[in-house]
Short mmCIF file of all heavy atoms in Angstrom, two decimals:
data_model
loop_
_atom_site.label_atom_id
_atom_site.label_comp_id
_atom_site.label_asym_id
_atom_site.label_seq_id
_atom_site.Cartn_x
_atom_site.Cartn_y
_atom_site.Cartn_z
N VAL A 29 85.46 -32.52 -47.96
CA VAL A 29 85.63 -32.46 -46.50
C VAL A 29 84.43 -31.81 -45.82
O VAL A 29 84.57 -31.15 -44.78
CB VAL A 29 86.93 -31.70 -46.15
CG1 VAL A 29 88.16 -32.47 -46.55
CG2 VAL A 29 86.93 -30.31 -46.77
N LYS A 30 83.22 -32.02 -46.38
CA LYS A 30 82.03 -31.41 -45.77
C LYS A 30 81.83 -31.89 -44.34
O LYS A 30 81.50 -31.11 -43.44
CB LYS A 30 80.81 -31.72 -46.63
CG LYS A 30 80.84 -31.05 -48.00
CD LYS A 30 79.60 -31.38 -48.81
CE LYS A 30 79.64 -30.71 -50.19
NZ LYS A 30 78.45 -31.05 -51.00
N SER A 31 82.02 -33.19 -44.13
CA SER A 31 81.85 -33.73 -42.78
C SER A 31 82.89 -33.16 -41.83
O SER A 31 82.61 -32.83 -40.67
CB SER A 31 81.92 -35.26 -42.83
OG SER A 31 81.84 -35.79 -41.53
N GLU A 32 84.13 -33.04 -42.32
CA GLU A 32 85.22 -32.52 -41.49
C GLU A 32 84.97 -31.07 -41.10
O GLU A 32 85.34 -30.63 -40.00
CB GLU A 32 86.55 -32.66 -42.23
CG GLU A 32 87.10 -34.07 -42.30
CD GLU A 32 86.46 -34.89 -43.42
OE1 GLU A 32 85.51 -34.39 -44.06
OE2 GLU A 32 86.91 -36.03 -43.64
N LEU A 33 84.33 -30.31 -42.02
CA LEU A 33 84.03 -28.91 -41.70
C LEU A 33 83.03 -28.83 -40.55
O LEU A 33 83.17 -28.01 -39.64
CB LEU A 33 83.48 -28.19 -42.93
CG LEU A 33 84.49 -27.90 -44.04
CD1 LEU A 33 83.78 -27.37 -45.28
CD2 LEU A 33 85.53 -26.88 -43.57
N LEU A 34 82.02 -29.71 -40.59
CA LEU A 34 81.05 -29.72 -39.50
C LEU A 34 81.72 -30.14 -38.19
O LEU A 34 81.38 -29.63 -37.12
CB LEU A 34 79.91 -30.67 -39.85
CG LEU A 34 79.04 -30.26 -41.04
CD1 LEU A 34 78.01 -31.34 -41.35
CD2 LEU A 34 78.35 -28.92 -40.77
N GLU A 35 82.65 -31.07 -38.29
CA GLU A 35 83.40 -31.48 -37.10
C GLU A 35 84.18 -30.30 -36.51
O GLU A 35 84.30 -30.15 -35.29
CB GLU A 35 84.34 -32.62 -37.45
CG GLU A 35 85.13 -33.15 -36.28
CD GLU A 35 86.16 -34.19 -36.69
OE1 GLU A 35 86.18 -34.59 -37.87
OE2 GLU A 35 86.97 -34.59 -35.81
N GLY A 36 84.72 -29.46 -37.40
CA GLY A 36 85.51 -28.33 -36.94
C GLY A 36 84.73 -27.35 -36.09
O GLY A 36 85.29 -26.67 -35.21
N ILE A 37 83.39 -27.31 -36.33
CA ILE A 37 82.57 -26.39 -35.54
C ILE A 37 82.64 -26.74 -34.06
O ILE A 37 82.57 -25.87 -33.18
CB ILE A 37 81.11 -26.43 -36.05
CG1 ILE A 37 81.05 -25.88 -37.49
CG2 ILE A 37 80.20 -25.63 -35.14
CD1 ILE A 37 79.69 -26.05 -38.16
N LEU A 38 82.83 -28.02 -33.78
CA LEU A 38 82.92 -28.47 -32.38
C LEU A 38 84.11 -27.83 -31.67
O LEU A 38 84.09 -27.65 -30.45
CB LEU A 38 83.05 -29.99 -32.32
CG LEU A 38 81.89 -30.80 -32.92
CD1 LEU A 38 82.21 -32.29 -32.88
CD2 LEU A 38 80.60 -30.50 -32.16
N TYR A 39 85.16 -27.49 -32.43
CA TYR A 39 86.35 -26.87 -31.82
C TYR A 39 86.26 -25.35 -31.79
O TYR A 39 86.97 -24.71 -31.02
CB TYR A 39 87.60 -27.32 -32.58
CG TYR A 39 87.78 -28.82 -32.60
CD1 TYR A 39 87.65 -29.54 -33.78
CD2 TYR A 39 88.05 -29.52 -31.43
CE1 TYR A 39 87.79 -30.93 -33.79
CE2 TYR A 39 88.19 -30.89 -31.42
CZ TYR A 39 88.05 -31.59 -32.61
OH TYR A 39 88.18 -32.96 -32.61
N LEU A 40 85.37 -24.80 -32.65
CA LEU A 40 85.24 -23.35 -32.69
C LEU A 40 84.30 -22.81 -31.62
O LEU A 40 84.56 -21.76 -31.03
CB LEU A 40 84.75 -22.91 -34.08
CG LEU A 40 85.84 -22.62 -35.12
CD1 LEU A 40 86.70 -23.84 -35.39
CD2 LEU A 40 85.22 -22.11 -36.43
N LYS A 41 83.22 -23.53 -31.35
CA LYS A 41 82.20 -22.99 -30.45
C LYS A 41 82.73 -22.71 -29.04
O LYS A 41 82.38 -21.66 -28.46
CB LYS A 41 81.01 -23.96 -30.41
CG LYS A 41 80.13 -23.85 -31.65
CD LYS A 41 78.88 -24.70 -31.50
CE LYS A 41 77.94 -24.50 -32.69
NZ LYS A 41 76.71 -25.32 -32.58
N PRO A 42 83.54 -23.58 -28.45
CA PRO A 42 84.05 -23.25 -27.10
C PRO A 42 84.87 -21.96 -27.06
O PRO A 42 84.96 -21.31 -26.01
CB PRO A 42 84.91 -24.46 -26.73
CG PRO A 42 84.38 -25.57 -27.58
CD PRO A 42 83.97 -24.93 -28.86
N LEU A 43 85.44 -21.58 -28.20
CA LEU A 43 86.29 -20.39 -28.23
C LEU A 43 85.48 -19.10 -28.24
O LEU A 43 86.03 -18.02 -28.03
CB LEU A 43 87.22 -20.43 -29.44
CG LEU A 43 88.12 -21.68 -29.54
CD1 LEU A 43 89.02 -21.58 -30.77
CD2 LEU A 43 88.96 -21.84 -28.29
N LEU A 44 84.16 -19.22 -28.49
CA LEU A 44 83.32 -18.02 -28.50
C LEU A 44 83.23 -17.38 -27.12
O LEU A 44 82.86 -16.22 -26.97
CB LEU A 44 81.91 -18.38 -28.99
CG LEU A 44 81.83 -18.82 -30.46
CD1 LEU A 44 80.42 -19.32 -30.77
CD2 LEU A 44 82.21 -17.68 -31.39
N LYS A 45 83.58 -18.15 -26.08
CA LYS A 45 83.56 -17.63 -24.71
C LYS A 45 84.88 -16.97 -24.33
O LYS A 45 84.98 -16.36 -23.26
CB LYS A 45 83.27 -18.77 -23.73
CG LYS A 45 81.95 -19.47 -23.95
CD LYS A 45 81.78 -20.63 -22.98
CE LYS A 45 80.48 -21.37 -23.20
NZ LYS A 45 80.32 -22.52 -22.26
N LYS A 46 85.89 -17.08 -25.19
CA LYS A 46 87.24 -16.64 -24.80
C LYS A 46 87.76 -15.47 -25.63
O LYS A 46 88.55 -14.67 -25.15
CB LYS A 46 88.22 -17.81 -24.92
CG LYS A 46 87.88 -19.01 -24.07
CD LYS A 46 88.90 -20.12 -24.26
CE LYS A 46 88.57 -21.34 -23.41
NZ LYS A 46 89.56 -22.43 -23.57
N GLY A 47 87.38 -15.38 -26.88
CA GLY A 47 88.02 -14.45 -27.79
C GLY A 47 87.64 -13.00 -27.57
O GLY A 47 86.71 -12.67 -26.83
N THR A 48 88.36 -12.13 -28.26
CA THR A 48 88.02 -10.71 -28.29
C THR A 48 86.79 -10.52 -29.18
O THR A 48 86.32 -11.46 -29.84
CB THR A 48 89.18 -9.88 -28.85
OG1 THR A 48 89.39 -10.27 -30.23
CG2 THR A 48 90.46 -10.12 -28.06
N LYS A 49 86.26 -9.32 -29.22
CA LYS A 49 85.10 -9.04 -30.05
C LYS A 49 85.38 -9.37 -31.50
O LYS A 49 84.56 -10.03 -32.17
CB LYS A 49 84.70 -7.58 -29.90
CG LYS A 49 83.49 -7.18 -30.74
CD LYS A 49 83.16 -5.70 -30.58
CE LYS A 49 81.98 -5.31 -31.46
NZ LYS A 49 81.66 -3.86 -31.34
N GLU A 50 86.53 -8.94 -32.01
CA GLU A 50 86.89 -9.21 -33.40
C GLU A 50 87.07 -10.70 -33.65
O GLU A 50 86.67 -11.23 -34.69
CB GLU A 50 88.17 -8.46 -33.78
CG GLU A 50 88.03 -6.93 -33.81
CD GLU A 50 88.00 -6.31 -32.42
OE1 GLU A 50 88.32 -7.02 -31.43
OE2 GLU A 50 87.63 -5.12 -32.32
N GLU A 51 87.70 -11.39 -32.69
CA GLU A 51 87.92 -12.83 -32.84
C GLU A 51 86.59 -13.58 -32.83
O GLU A 51 86.38 -14.53 -33.60
CB GLU A 51 88.83 -13.34 -31.72
CG GLU A 51 90.28 -12.87 -31.86
CD GLU A 51 91.11 -13.15 -30.62
OE1 GLU A 51 90.52 -13.36 -29.53
OE2 GLU A 51 92.35 -13.14 -30.73
N LYS A 52 85.68 -13.16 -31.97
CA LYS A 52 84.37 -13.82 -31.93
C LYS A 52 83.61 -13.62 -33.23
O LYS A 52 82.95 -14.54 -33.73
CB LYS A 52 83.56 -13.27 -30.75
CG LYS A 52 84.08 -13.70 -29.38
CD LYS A 52 83.28 -13.06 -28.26
CE LYS A 52 83.83 -13.48 -26.90
NZ LYS A 52 83.11 -12.83 -25.78
N GLU A 53 83.70 -12.42 -33.79
CA GLU A 53 83.05 -12.17 -35.07
C GLU A 53 83.63 -13.07 -36.16
O GLU A 53 82.90 -13.62 -36.99
CB GLU A 53 83.22 -10.69 -35.46
CG GLU A 53 82.42 -9.74 -34.58
CD GLU A 53 82.69 -8.29 -34.92
OE1 GLU A 53 83.60 -8.03 -35.76
OE2 GLU A 53 82.02 -7.40 -34.36
N TYR A 54 84.94 -13.23 -36.12
CA TYR A 54 85.59 -14.10 -37.11
C TYR A 54 85.17 -15.55 -36.92
O TYR A 54 84.90 -16.28 -37.89
CB TYR A 54 87.11 -13.96 -37.01
CG TYR A 54 87.85 -14.92 -37.93
CD1 TYR A 54 87.79 -14.76 -39.31
CD2 TYR A 54 88.57 -15.99 -37.41
CE1 TYR A 54 88.46 -15.64 -40.16
CE2 TYR A 54 89.23 -16.87 -38.24
CZ TYR A 54 89.19 -16.69 -39.61
OH TYR A 54 89.84 -17.57 -40.45
N LEU A 55 85.07 -16.01 -35.68
CA LEU A 55 84.67 -17.39 -35.41
C LEU A 55 83.23 -17.64 -35.87
O LEU A 55 82.92 -18.70 -36.44
CB LEU A 55 84.81 -17.70 -33.92
CG LEU A 55 86.25 -17.79 -33.39
CD1 LEU A 55 86.26 -17.86 -31.86
CD2 LEU A 55 86.97 -19.00 -33.97
N HIS A 56 82.32 -16.69 -35.62
CA HIS A 56 80.95 -16.83 -36.11
C HIS A 56 80.92 -16.92 -37.64
O HIS A 56 80.15 -17.71 -38.21
CB HIS A 56 80.10 -15.64 -35.64
CG HIS A 56 79.60 -15.76 -34.23
ND1 HIS A 56 78.74 -16.75 -33.82
CD2 HIS A 56 79.86 -14.98 -33.14
CE1 HIS A 56 78.48 -16.60 -32.53
NE2 HIS A 56 79.14 -15.53 -32.08
N TYR A 57 81.77 -16.11 -38.26
CA TYR A 57 81.86 -16.14 -39.72
C TYR A 57 82.32 -17.52 -40.20
O TYR A 57 81.75 -18.09 -41.15
CB TYR A 57 82.84 -15.06 -40.19
CG TYR A 57 83.19 -15.13 -41.65
CD1 TYR A 57 82.26 -14.82 -42.64
CD2 TYR A 57 84.48 -15.49 -42.05
CE1 TYR A 57 82.60 -14.88 -43.99
CE2 TYR A 57 84.83 -15.57 -43.38
CZ TYR A 57 83.88 -15.26 -44.35
OH TYR A 57 84.21 -15.32 -45.68
N CYS A 58 83.33 -18.09 -39.55
CA CYS A 58 83.83 -19.42 -39.93
C CYS A 58 82.75 -20.49 -39.72
O CYS A 58 82.55 -21.36 -40.58
CB CYS A 58 85.07 -19.78 -39.11
SG CYS A 58 86.54 -18.84 -39.55
N ILE A 59 82.06 -20.41 -38.60
CA ILE A 59 81.01 -21.39 -38.32
C ILE A 59 79.93 -21.33 -39.39
O ILE A 59 79.44 -22.37 -39.89
CB ILE A 59 80.42 -21.16 -36.92
CG1 ILE A 59 81.46 -21.50 -35.84
CG2 ILE A 59 79.14 -21.99 -36.71
CD1 ILE A 59 81.05 -21.10 -34.43
N ASP A 60 79.57 -20.10 -39.76
CA ASP A 60 78.56 -19.93 -40.81
C ASP A 60 79.03 -20.54 -42.13
O ASP A 60 78.26 -21.22 -42.82
CB ASP A 60 78.26 -18.44 -40.99
CG ASP A 60 77.25 -18.18 -42.09
OD1 ASP A 60 76.11 -18.67 -41.98
OD2 ASP A 60 77.63 -17.51 -43.08
#
């Protein structure tokens, strides 16, 4: 599911503007 993982980044990035500090750190970790 390598391609699907890259697709998932499209849904994570918009959330970087909404989450708490801890949530944003977790989202960056997932994107990485």
Side-chain angles (χ1 to χ4, degrees):
V29 292
K30 293 180 180 179
S31 176
E32 286 81 354
L33 288 171
L34 294 176
E35 181 186 354
I37 295 172
L38 299 176
Y39 302 112
L40 271 60
K41 283 186 175 180
L43 303 182
L44 293 173
K45 300 177 181 179
K46 301 179 180 181
T48 64
K49 180 181 178 182
E50 292 76 13
E51 290 168 341
K52 290 177 181 178
E53 290 176 353
Y54 175 68
L55 290 170
H56 279 296
Y57 171 70
C58 289
I59 291 171
D60 178 61

